[in-house]
Amino acid sequence: MRIVLGVGGGIAAYKVASLLRLFTEAGHDVTVIPTEASTRFVGTATWEALSGNPVSNSVFDDVHLVNHVRLGHEADLVVVAPATADLLAKAATGQAGDLLTNTLLMAHGPVLFAPAMHTEMWQHAATRANVETLRGRGAAVLEPASGRLTGADSGPGRLPEPQAIFDAAMALVQGRSDYQLPLAGRTVTISVGGTREPLDPVRFLGNRSSGKQGVALAVAARNAGATVRLLAAHMEVPAPAGVEVQRVETALELREAALAAAADSDVIIMSAAVADFRPAEVSDTKIKKRDDTADPVITLVRNPDILQELVEKRNASRAGSGQLVVGFAAETGDSQGDVLAYAQAKLQRKGCDLLVVNHVGMDKVFGQDSNAVVILSRAGSEPQEASGTKTEVSEAIIRRISFELNHVSPRA
Ligand code: CTP
């Protein structure tokens, strides 16, 4: 496929190098047209090297090739990223002062704008009107992602992640012109990793959770356009870029963070391995072994069930009734019941909307890169199986969550 990639003059231009890589690695022939302003952020040498094609934004270069007409005509797809307020305005009013705007006027195929700008610019009536005009003419304009902007503030205006723009572009080419990222405008809170319950300043009770599945879920939700908030207990993998991270240590800390985050979350996914018990007493000083006293005995007390509390809180609040609460179950099965029987019972007991069931054993799931899960729904639909790498499984879970949010009536 022949793709024209227009690059606008915003700080997010650097992220477009990754988008270009995704296009070229998928076998597409990409011609990059950077605006004059964008070359102050990323130079043309980068685009030439990564695309393998000559790069210009002047209608007076290679005039014999009539690029200002040819590039738009021949393109199977035009993608503009970052689409700045200025570029959206120029496109909406049909200006043709440089090669990119000429190409937009000549485009025969689908056109996708991936906006990035400060929240106030995005929400300004002028930009709203320009976006409406462009959409009205059949162009796809993605909703920008929310999160930290260039300065200290945050809000909608971030460039969607390169993978998200790539997915939207491919969907557009397949004729889905109304395509929006399935979780655009949604806030998804995900608890990940394993809690650590202290015994004394140097010791804790922990578990084998690596956090890989939760992090993969965060990436999939982010790529689906969500604002992602990670409540991160102990993890063996780094938190991904483009998500907000709040560190927690114990089940009680996680509970507090989860209940606070619930106030403005469309989805809460409890993928963390939460300790069911914590030591009844935590010593302020290191517990020493002594020959003159008996060896210590650890007494445990039960931690609150965070998932259950989240469901109760959601059910009690009318405003929150559209919120989707997703639990995870790690089951081994035993002589009393198999994995699915235990999971069904857990789903009913905890009352969450979806329960993702992992079959765990000493060598299965924890820390592994691949996985097989069954998604159970409280509404009683058929159990859905998903398997593959943790990335693939996470994408399937996020697709199911998007479906529930966008197509299933409010809960509770
Ligand atoms: N969970 C929670 N709070 C707890 C324990 C677990 O929110 N105190 C959540 C987990 O994050 C997960 C789900 O509950 O989403 C299921 O956890 P699991 O450990 O499998 O279930 P348990 O309630 O501990 O049941 P069991 O004793 O059968 O293992």
Side-chain angles (χ1 to χ4, degrees):
M1 192 160 69
R2 282 192 194 160
I3 300 175
V4 166
L5 179 56
V7 184
I11 188 85
Y14 76 94
K15 289 190 185 172
V16 177
S18 306
L19 175 62
L20 172 56
R21 282 305 272 266
L22 290 173
F23 284 138
T24 55
E25 278 169 15
H28 303 300
D29 180 23
V30 186
T31 300
V32 181
I33 311 182
T35 64
E36 185 66 36
S38 81
T39 58
R40 300 180 73 144
F41 295 99
V42 179
T44 50
T46 300
W47 304 125
E48 289 202 0
L50 290 178
S51 70
N53 280 321
V55 169
S56 161
N57 188 32
S58 169
V59 290
F60 298 110
D61 285 342
D62 295 319
V63 176
H64 63 290
L65 296 175
V66 204
N67 279 337
H68 73 291
V69 170
R70 187 182 61 84
L71 288 170
H73 255 188
E74 289 180 357
D76 300 298
L77 168 71
V78 179
V79 177
V80 181
T84 56
D86 180 61
L87 257 180
L88 291 173
K90 284 184 170 139
T93 51
Q95 294 183 43
D98 60 12
L99 187 59
L100 178 55
T101 45
N102 273 269
T103 301
L104 285 168
L105 283 178
M106 293 305 301
H108 278 201
V111 178
L112 175 73
F113 292 92
M117 65 196 73
H118 193 271
T119 303
E120 284 170 54
M121 292 185 191
W122 173 248
Q123 290 171 343
H124 194 284
T127 306
R128 305 305 321 147
N130 291 332
V131 168
E132 283 318 303
T133 301
L134 290 167
R135 285 180 177 158
R137 286 190 204 130
V141 184
L142 293 178
E143 290 296 315
S146 286
R148 182 83 193 270
L149 302 170
T150 310
D153 44 359
S154 60
R158 279 170 61 95
L159 185 71
E161 290 301 314
Q163 184 69 48
I165 303 172
F166 178 86
D167 290 348
M170 294 304 120
L172 191 62
V173 172
Q174 286 157 18
R176 289 148 61 194
S177 60
D178 60 342
Y179 185 85
Q180 279 297 339
L181 298 172
L183 291 180
R186 306 283 197 172
T187 298
V188 178
T189 295
I190 308 176
S191 71
V192 298
T195 64
R196 288 178 161 185
E197 310 297 325
L199 277 163
D200 70 11
V202 294
R203 302 184 182 91
F204 57 84
L205 299 180
N207 60 62
R208 290 175 188 273
S209 174
S210 66
K212 278 185 185 170
Q213 180 76 74
V215 165
L217 277 169
V219 170
R222 181 199 69 192
N223 290 349
T227 300
V228 180
R229 193 183 289 139
L230 213 56
L231 307 180
H234 176 74
M235 320 193 282
E236 283 164 19
V237 288
V243 308
E244 184 191 315
V245 182
Q246 191 178 342
R247 298 271 168 192
V248 295
E249 180 90 4
T250 63
L252 291 179
E253 280 175 31
L254 176 56
R255 171 182 175 271
E256 201 174 313
L259 290 174
D264 66 349
S265 297
D266 297 289
V267 182
I268 305 176
I269 308 176
M270 283 296 298
S271 77
V274 186
D276 285 324
F277 303 99
R278 67 180 182 278
E281 281 176 27
V282 182
S283 171
D284 289 340
T285 52
K286 189 179 169 198
I287 302 168
K288 302 287 285 178
K289 58 182 177 303
R290 297 186 198 280
D291 291 334
D292 53 349
T293 50
D295 289 344
V297 174
I298 300 169
T299 305
L300 299 176
V301 291
R302 211 177 255 231
N303 273 326
D305 190 315
I306 305 168
L307 181 60
Q308 213 164 335
E309 261 189 82
L310 287 168
V311 171
E312 284 162 10
K313 185 173 168 173
R314 189 278 306 276
N315 292 354
S317 127
R318 284 181 53 140
S321 63
Q323 189 178 67
L324 191 79
V325 184
V326 182
F328 267 69
E331 300 287 351
T332 60
D334 60 22
S335 58
Q336 316 268 309
D338 69 8
V339 170
L340 271 190
Y342 275 123
Q344 287 287 7
K346 189 169 290 179
L347 176 65
Q348 297 313 323
R349 196 167 65 242
K350 301 214 179 198
C352 51
D353 304 297
L354 297 176
L355 189 72
V356 181
V357 187
N358 275 311
H359 184 184
V360 288
M362 290 301 279
D363 59 342
K364 282 188 188 161
V365 179
F366 286 125
Q368 303 289 304
D369 289 322
S370 64
N371 203 358
V373 302
V374 179
I375 306 173
L376 301 180
S377 113
R378 193 167 54 93
S381 55
E382 278 292 296
Q384 177 193 344
E385 290 181 25
S387 62
T389 61
K390 283 193 172 173
T391 300
E392 288 161 342
V393 168
S394 300
E395 286 167 355
I397 296 168
I398 292 298
R399 268 197 302 279
R400 175 64 184 268
I401 287 172
S402 308
F403 178 81
E404 295 281 331
L405 274 184
N406 297 330
H407 301 285
V408 180
S409 57
R411 284 145 287 275

